[in-house]
Amino acid sequence: MEVSLQKRNILIYAVLTMSSLLIFQISVVFFLLAIPLFIIKQRYDFSYLSLAGFFVALVIVIETIIRGSGIEGSNLRQFLIVAELVYPLSIIAGVLGISWIRYRTLYSFMAVNVGFAVLSVPIIFFYAGNEEIVNLLKNQIIYVSDMFKETVTSPDSFESSVLVKELQPDIIIESTMKLVFRNYIFAYFIMLSGSWFIADSIQRRSNHRKQFKLVDFRVPEIIIWPLIITLAVVFLDIFLGMSWLGYIMWNSAFIMVFIYGLHGIGLIKYLLERYKVPGRGRRLIFVFAFVVLLMPGLNLILLLGIPVLGVSELWIKFRKIDNLGDT
């Protein structure tokens, strides 16, 4: 019996490891490769996770180098290979980091994101100073903007003139840079935390344990200070410009707002349960909220209001519970 059980565990371990590699092949959801690794973390000890993570990372590196070997130009080839490897390897390292820290999950995620930010800055500066790569990206943007300009059927119309003005290469480059740099750490946080949530739900269900509920989730009071600091620097960046520090703070602010947004959603669910709102009423509230989210400008009421509601529990104790949950 013990031998058969051991074989079963080895088989499950191998299947989970290979599943991580198979998921990576689906480029749209490559980040979900972390799900099997998180499950390995919960089923086995850290040494098994380290071995699986190393194997998956090694295969991904070899596969990416082979795919990029046909690209002409050593600098371009190196850049594209590095760009393709940054997120997958960082996600694997994030899973290992969270498993190794073994502290409250929220703090572990924040620590891993700080590590990702610190390690990503030198890579960005290195390639930002490479004229060949920068010129290549600029040329691609110019090519795309020229292609869109050619499709404008009525160049004399007001809409066309506005579109042509907005498609200027310098404007596109600046807008793209801001969009990418203000969100890339936040995107990493979402990919890693989303994978953890799915893996945790699967593992809890398989072990017949109580599922994690947002009703039980509350942000520790000390997190309000990072929120205040990041928002203050974001405002300074808007009016004064804070260079690379501004980009880091934008990412941090998005993460803080997202966390307090989860807190706010959990609080709303708690209030609905407390006041015994029937299922039909909850569905109407959900539909109304969904409609509002689809309306530009008006959706800010929810996108900002729900995190503010989460923050408000610092002063208004809606819930009479001291348990902050296991996250």
Side-chain angles (χ1 to χ4, degrees):
M1 179 67 72
E2 185 177 348
V3 175
S4 62
L5 182 61
Q6 186 177 9
K7 289 182 178 179
R8 180 173 178 270
N9 285 330
I10 293 174
L11 178 61
I12 294 174
Y13 176 74
V15 168
L16 289 171
T17 303
M18 296 308 298
S19 297
S20 184
L21 284 172
L22 290 174
I23 292 172
F24 172 73
Q25 307 305 318
I26 309 174
S27 57
V28 179
V29 292
F30 76 92
F31 56 91
L32 296 180
L33 66 89
I35 294 176
L37 297 179
F38 274 123
I39 295 176
I40 290 175
K41 171 222 169 185
Q42 296 189 19
R43 293 182 65 97
Y44 308 97
D45 59 28
F46 184 75
S47 60
Y48 281 91
L49 173 62
S50 301
L51 181 62
F54 175 78
F55 177 76
V56 172
L58 180 63
V59 173
I60 289 175
V61 170
I62 294 174
E63 179 184 343
T64 305
I65 292 176
I66 292 174
R67 283 205 306 264
S69 59
I71 301 174
E72 297 181 359
S74 58
N75 286 339
L76 175 61
R77 180 170 59 251
Q78 182 189 64
F79 170 74
L80 293 177
I81 290 174
V82 170
E84 189 171 349
L85 287 176
V86 165
Y87 268 129
L89 296 185
S90 297
I91 287 173
I92 295 172
V95 176
L96 292 172
I98 291 169
S99 305
W100 180 75
I101 294 174
R102 292 182 180 179
Y103 197 53
R104 178 171 177 162
T105 308
L106 179 60
Y107 292 150
S108 300
F109 273 102
M110 295 176 71
V112 165
N113 270 264
V114 170
F116 174 70
V118 171
L119 293 176
S120 65
V121 170
I123 298 175
I124 293 173
F125 271 106
F126 176 79
Y127 284 106
N130 190 312
E131 292 186 4
E132 180 180 351
I133 299 299
V134 173
N135 290 331
L136 174 67
L137 295 177
K138 286 183 177 180
N139 291 334
Q140 292 298 316
I141 292 174
I142 292 172
Y143 173 77
V144 173
S145 64
D146 290 342
M147 183 178 64
F148 273 105
K149 289 178 184 178
E150 292 176 0
T151 61
V152 177
T153 56
S154 303
D156 296 331
S157 66
F158 174 75
E159 293 82 359
S160 298
S161 62
V162 172
L163 179 60
V164 170
K165 182 179 179 181
E166 291 298 323
L167 287 177
Q168 295 300 318
D170 292 339
I171 296 177
I172 296 176
I173 291 171
E174 183 180 359
S175 301
T176 303
M177 183 181 70
K178 287 182 178 180
L179 179 64
V180 172
F181 288 161
R182 287 178 177 178
N183 290 275
Y184 80 99
I185 302 174
F186 174 58
Y188 177 74
F189 179 85
I190 294 296
M191 289 188 287
L192 200 58
S193 59
S195 299
W196 171 85
F197 176 77
I198 296 172
D200 184 70
S201 299
I202 293 173
Q203 195 61 16
R204 285 174 183 261
R205 187 177 297 275
S206 64
N207 293 335
H208 304 287
R209 293 163 52 203
K210 180 183 177 182
Q211 290 289 319
F212 168 75
K213 295 182 179 180
L214 280 178
V215 173
D216 301 324
F217 177 72
R218 293 170 64 183
V219 180
E221 293 185 2
I222 195 173
I223 300 299
I224 190 62
W225 293 110
L227 175 66
I228 293 173
I229 293 172
T230 54
L231 289 178
V233 178
V234 163
F235 280 115
L236 289 175
D237 182 62
I238 292 173
F239 296 105
L240 302 178
M242 302 296 291
S243 186
W244 62 269
L245 179 61
Y247 292 129
I248 297 294
M249 290 298 106
W250 273 96
N251 282 274
S252 302
F254 285 139
I255 292 173
M256 294 295 107
V257 170
F258 176 76
I259 291 172
Y260 274 105
L262 294 179
H263 187 135
I265 293 173
L267 180 55
I268 291 172
K269 291 174 68 68
Y270 169 80
L271 294 174
L272 292 176
E273 292 179 4
R274 178 181 177 182
Y275 293 104
K276 299 179 181 179
V277 177
R280 184 178 179 182
R282 298 186 187 192
R283 286 190 292 271
L284 288 174
I285 293 173
F286 173 79
V287 172
F288 175 75
F290 181 76
V291 172
V292 171
L293 285 174
L294 296 177
M295 303 174 68
L298 193 61
N299 56 9
L300 290 176
I301 296 175
L302 287 180
L303 294 176
L304 297 179
I306 292 178
V308 169
L309 180 63
V311 173
S312 70
E313 200 168 20
L314 281 170
W315 301 279
I316 306 173
K317 302 301 180 182
F318 296 98
R319 292 177 280 192
K320 298 179 181 179
I321 55 175
D322 297 324
N323 179 30
L324 297 178
D326 57 359
T327 59

